[in-house]
């Protein structure tokens, strides 16, 4: 099963909104085939694994280890349960069940009805972590939210004068571009869009083309900004509160930007409304790059699932030097969300930390 999980990871950025899935076929204690879901609309992991066997008759009586319950419905591809049944597989071991309404236990039931032995729960924790963004979207109808920032050793994202280039090094910045190429949307606040004038594109491009989103509570991006000038390269959505006059956003609309008007002006409520909309659009992973006010709103909405922090080896001090997350914050530590370290790596003189909200809180359950 761990081999199946390792295979599944190869589909990251290619298969969404489908889940990453891997499959390993074993017979008489020997691996006879393996595969994974390689791209959206392509064969699922079970079919990919069956096709890897030179002599298909070997599949008869074999055990299939699959990271997610096999599907039993026709979508972009035929049901995987039918492929397993037709191949004569004798046993199917799934790490976790699939909560997708058209599956949700039906795949395993269909296999059992065909006389195939089934088991669920092998490497459940690891598979749940692998599929966490998909599971959140299916269960809560919202995408997985990744917060990203670069900060100094003393937790500052800029000096008291606002100088922030560059806290992190070139290797760290390259990793940010790789991450951008794996997500469905990149979100910034209006202040960040105005002050930093970013393009928010992945360079070089990754497997996914992210929609750039500006949450413009107070500041609309200029039509002369790089975000607007590069609409031909990647879509741009500007999220505005309900009271914004249509004439204010007409130049952005004329330039090709999509305007998403919220039914509220409350920053936290706007975040919730935006995430519900992105979930309807089948977005699975979104990246929030700042600024502090926007990240504070995501924190208050309890919608930060994962953090990517790049820590540069500087100390800048200053009581007024900004930190990565602003907003109202929490008065008591016990009220704040609890994260656990997922990955730590050194990039030159930077330390790259990935932390995830603890599992019991991050799947929309």
């Amino acid at each position: 099963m761990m081999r199946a999980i390792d295979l599944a990871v190869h589909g990251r950025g290619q298969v969404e909104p489908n889940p990453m899935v891997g499959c390993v076929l074993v017979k008489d204690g020997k691996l006879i085939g393996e595969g994974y879901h390689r791209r959206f609309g392509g064969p699922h992991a079970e079919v990919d694994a069956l096709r890897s066997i030179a002599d298909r008759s070997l599949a008869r009586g074999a055990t299939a280890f699959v990271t997610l319950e096999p599907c039993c419905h026709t979508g972009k591809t035929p049901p995987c349960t039918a492929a397993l049944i037709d191949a004569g597989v004798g046993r199917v071991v799934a790490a976790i069940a699939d909560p997708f309404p058209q599956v949700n236990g039906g795949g395993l039931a269909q296999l059992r009805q065909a006389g195939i032995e089934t088991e669920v729960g092998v490497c459940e924790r690891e598979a749940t972590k692998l599929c966490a963004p998909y599971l959140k979207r299916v269960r809560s109808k919202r995408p997985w939210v990744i917060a990203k920032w670069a900060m100094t050793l003393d937790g500052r994202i800029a000096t008291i004068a606002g100088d922030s280039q560059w806290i992190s090094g070139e290797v760290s910045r390259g990793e940010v571009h790789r991450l951008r190429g794996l997500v469905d949307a990149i979100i910034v606040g209006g202040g960040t869009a105005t002050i930093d004038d970013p393009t928010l594109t992945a360079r070089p491009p990754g497997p996914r083309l992210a929609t750039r989103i500006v949450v413009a509570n107070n500041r609309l991006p200029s039509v002369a900004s790089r975000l607007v000038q590069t609409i031909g390269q990647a879509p741009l959505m500007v999220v505005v509160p309900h009271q914004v006059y249509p004439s204010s956003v007409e130049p952005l609309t004329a330039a090709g930007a999509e305007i998403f008007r919220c039914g509220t002006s409350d920053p936290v409520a706007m975040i919730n409304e935006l995430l519900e909309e992105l979930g309807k659009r089948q977005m699975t992973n979104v990246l929030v790059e700042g600024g502090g006010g926007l990240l504070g709103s995501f924190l208050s909405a309890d919608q930060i699932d994962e953090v990517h922090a790049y820590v540069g080896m500087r100390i800048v001090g200053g009581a007024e030097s900004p930190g990565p997350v602003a907003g109202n914050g929490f008065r008591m530590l016990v009220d704040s969300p609890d994260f656990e370290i997922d990955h730590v790596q050194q990039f030159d003189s930077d330390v790259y930390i990935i932390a995830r909200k603890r599992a019991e809180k991050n799947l929309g359950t």
Side-chain angles (χ1 to χ4, degrees):
M1 189 64 80
M2 288 306 301
R3 173 60 182 165
I5 289 171
D6 289 343
L7 288 167
V9 174
H10 292 301
R12 177 169 284 134
Q14 305 282 1
V15 303
E16 292 84 359
N18 284 353
M20 294 178 284
V21 182
C23 179
V24 169
L25 295 167
V26 176
K27 187 174 185 180
D28 299 327
K30 296 180 180 179
L31 187 149
I32 62 170
E34 61 181 25
Y36 63 95
H37 188 25
R38 298 172 185 269
R39 61 178 180 83
F40 179 70
H44 287 187
E46 298 91 328
V47 173
D48 192 50
L50 288 168
R51 289 180 179 178
S52 74
I53 307 174
D55 181 359
R56 293 291 295 274
S57 67
L58 289 174
R60 188 159 299 278
T63 296
F65 292 88
V66 61
T67 56
L68 185 69
E69 176 185 3
C71 66
C72 54
H73 66 291
T74 299
K76 294 286 184 181
T77 63
C80 293
T81 50
L84 293 166
I85 293 168
D86 291 345
V89 168
R91 180 170 174 248
V92 173
V93 180
I96 55 175
D98 188 350
F100 186 66
Q102 290 176 273
V103 183
N104 198 22
L108 293 167
Q110 195 173 98
L111 293 170
R112 287 193 294 270
Q113 289 168 5
I116 296 175
E117 181 186 348
T118 65
E119 182 179 350
V120 185
V122 175
C123 300
E124 180 180 9
R125 183 178 183 276
E126 293 84 355
T128 299
K129 175 182 170 182
L130 169 76
C131 292
Y134 167 78
L135 296 174
K136 182 189 177 186
R137 184 177 57 76
V138 170
R139 290 170 173 166
S140 72
K141 313 300 183 192
R142 296 182 178 196
W144 184 262
V145 178
I146 303 168
K148 164 260 164 184
W149 59 74
M151 66 182 184
T152 61
L153 272 173
D154 56 335
R156 316 292 180 159
I157 61 170
T159 68
I160 194 170
D163 183 24
S164 62
Q165 294 189 344
W166 293 101
I167 287 175
S168 59
E170 186 175 347
V171 178
S172 293
R173 296 195 293 275
E175 176 62 22
V176 171
H177 283 282
R178 189 192 70 82
L179 181 59
R180 286 177 176 178
L182 295 172
V183 300
D184 295 304
I186 301 166
I187 309 174
V188 297
T192 296
T194 301
I195 296 168
D196 293 350
D197 193 23
T199 58
L200 301 181
T201 53
R203 301 183 293 277
R208 306 197 73 74
L209 179 63
T211 297
R212 288 93 49 85
I213 300 176
V214 179
V215 181
N217 296 77
N218 300 308
R219 298 192 203 181
L220 291 169
S222 164
V223 292
S225 67
R226 292 198 290 177
L227 282 169
V228 176
Q229 294 301 308
T230 56
I231 283 177
Q233 299 178 29
L236 174 64
M237 175 194 289
V238 180
V239 181
V240 298
H242 70 94
Q243 73 269 24
V244 168
Y245 290 113
S247 58
S248 300
V249 296
E250 282 175 1
L252 292 170
T253 303
E258 176 189 358
I259 305 300
F260 179 72
R261 187 182 294 271
C262 292
T264 178
S265 60
D266 177 77
V268 175
M270 287 178 66
I271 295 306
N272 285 319
E273 194 170 334
L274 171 62
L275 291 177
E276 289 173 5
E277 176 63 24
L278 299 184
K280 291 176 184 177
R281 299 187 187 200
Q282 298 292 290
M283 291 191 180
T284 303
N285 296 280
V286 300
L287 176 63
V288 184
E289 293 206 17
L294 180 67
L295 285 164
S297 295
F298 272 89
L299 180 66
S300 294
D302 195 23
Q303 289 298 318
I304 296 178
D305 301 297
E306 183 171 314
V307 172
H308 289 231
Y310 302 82
V311 184
M313 297 297 108
R314 292 179 180 272
I315 297 176
V316 300
E320 302 301 321
S321 299
V325 183
N328 294 327
F330 294 94
R331 293 181 62 86
M332 303 297 293
L333 277 174
V334 71
D335 296 326
S336 63
D338 188 16
F339 286 75
E340 58 187 349
I341 293 176
D342 182 67
H343 177 80
V344 178
Q345 187 174 354
Q346 186 169 345
F347 291 152
D348 290 340
S349 61
D350 299 338
V351 174
Y352 175 42
I353 302 170
I354 301 176
R356 282 189 171 198
K357 194 185 299 180
R358 290 198 181 273
E360 64 272 13
K361 297 182 180 180
N362 69 1
L363 299 180
T365 54

